[in-house]
């Protein structure tokens, strides 16, 4: 079996490539810089490196030629988040895979995109960032309608790795304080990036098991207070996550652009449930295990 992995030097693509290589699968890694450390590491592990551009359909077709499957994770233009780059790139990946005769596509989206967000309180009134969610949903729908013999849409929740260094949601807690606007009782569904890679590899190497499914991914649901307590236990430092309103969090350094997303989660939660993942026989790394493995 051979798989083209989009974004192979990123978090999810990298985890997927590693998991596939560990299973003896031939991986063609789509990268932007053949000489980067991450690209070279993948090559040393046995991956074939190719360059390509998600905005350049012919380059994607060439990369997908001869592949049995594609792992898809189109990314937005970080300099124009209000634009349509993610949708265009997602459609390019689908079209390239189809043109190249690929029979199997596994795509990574985001937890809740589609029906969950379209039916939640506040959506019809325009309270939430519809562009973000509709961009994700549009690519998901293109995958489902792509005519592939096998397809799966993965919907991962909040990455545990967002707590490594600076992040949009949690800032930089090197000062031992996590700044967020999540309410005291808001449960954050956490997932480990390596789990996403394992699930993607399972979907790709076991055709039929997750076919035609949207798979919500979360390993544990914790409040920010509980999250800080585990981080304190594992690191031996006193880590705090004060309960702040989104506005107070902005005053203490949270990006103003995150207020809408935080308010949305506070009011409506998120659909990913660890028990649903386990019911499918898929891996769930609990937060304490991840923290010990990553931070201790």
């Amino acid at each position: 079996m051979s798989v083209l992995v989009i974004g192979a030097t990123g978090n999810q693509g990298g985890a997927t490539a590693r998991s596939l290589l560990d299973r003896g699968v031939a991986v063609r890694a789509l990268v932007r810089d053949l000489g980067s450390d991450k690209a070279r590491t993948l090559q040393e592990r046995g991956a074939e490196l190719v360059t390509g551009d998600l905005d350049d359909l012919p380059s994607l077709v060439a990369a997908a030629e001869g592949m049995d499957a594609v792992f898809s994770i189109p990314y937005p233009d970080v300099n124009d988040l209000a634009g349509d780059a993610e949708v265009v790139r997602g459609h390019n990946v689908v079209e390239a895979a189809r043109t190249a005769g690929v029979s199997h596509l596994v795509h990574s989206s985001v937890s809740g995109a589609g029906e969950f967000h379209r039916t939640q309180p506040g959506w019809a009134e325009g309270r939430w960032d519809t562009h973000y969610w509709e961009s994700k949903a549009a690519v998901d729908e293109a995958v489902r309608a792509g005519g592939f013999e096998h397809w799966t849409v993965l919907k991962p929740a909040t990455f545990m790795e967002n707590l490594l260094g600076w992040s949009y949601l949690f800032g930089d807690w090197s000062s031992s304080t996590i700044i967020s606007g999540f309410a005291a009782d808001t449960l954050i569904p956490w997932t480990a990036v390596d789990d996403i890679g394992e699930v993607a590899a399972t979907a790709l190497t076991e055709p039929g098991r997750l076919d035609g499914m949207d798979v919500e991914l979360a390993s544990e649901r914790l409040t920010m207070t509980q999250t800080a307590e585990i981080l304190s236990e594992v690191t031996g430092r006193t880590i705090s996550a004060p309960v702040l309103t989104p506005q107070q969090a902005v005053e203490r350094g949270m990006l103003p652009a995150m207020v809408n997303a935080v308010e949305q989660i506070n009011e409506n939660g998120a659909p990913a449930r660890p028990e649903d993942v386990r019911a499918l026989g898929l891996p769930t790394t609990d937060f304490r295990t991840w923290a010990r493995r990553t931070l201790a």
Side-chain angles (χ1 to χ4, degrees), residues 48-206:
E48 173 193 0
L49 302 184
V50 295
T51 56
D53 188 333
L54 297 190
D55 294 317
D56 179 3
L57 181 57
S59 75
L60 293 179
V61 173
E65 288 287 353
M67 295 289 99
D68 298 307
V70 170
F71 173 76
S72 161
I73 180 165
Y75 43 83
D77 182 347
V78 295
N79 296 313
D80 183 19
L81 292 176
D84 295 326
E86 185 171 10
V87 175
V88 171
R89 291 167 178 174
H91 279 268
N92 281 348
V93 172
V94 169
E95 182 60 28
R98 189 163 48 206
T99 301
V102 171
S103 63
H104 195 160
L105 183 66
V106 172
H107 168 69
S108 187
S109 178
V110 68
S111 177
E115 183 178 359
F116 177 82
H117 283 97
R118 288 169 178 162
T119 57
Q120 67 182 293
W123 181 269
E125 297 82 3
R127 291 186 59 201
W128 313 125
D129 179 5
T130 58
H131 181 270
Y132 172 83
W133 297 109
E134 287 299 312
S135 294
K136 297 289 186 183
V139 180
D140 298 351
E141 289 160 6
V143 171
R144 297 186 195 104
F148 299 101
E149 182 179 356
H150 309 285
W151 63 264
T152 305
V153 174
L154 305 182
K155 293 186 171 182
T158 307
F159 297 169
M160 296 176 188
E161 284 73 11
N162 283 345
L163 290 167
L164 299 176
W166 183 90
S167 77
Y168 288 104
L169 277 176
F170 307 111
D172 179 358
W173 52 280
S174 59
S175 62
S176 299
T177 303
I178 302 173
I179 301 300
S180 81
F182 293 114
D185 59 351
T186 294
L187 291 169
I188 306 299
W190 295 102
T191 190
V193 166
D194 281 348
D195 286 352
I196 301 170
E198 282 294 307
V199 174
T202 296
L204 289 161
T205 59
E206 300 181 33

Side-chain angles (χ1 to χ4, degrees), residues 1 7 18 26 34 62 123 133 141 146 164 217 223 251 295:
M1 181 184 188
R18 291 191 299 272
L34 295 172
W123 181 269
W133 297 109
E141 289 160 6
L164 299 176
L217 295 178
T223 66
E251 291 170 3
L295 301 172

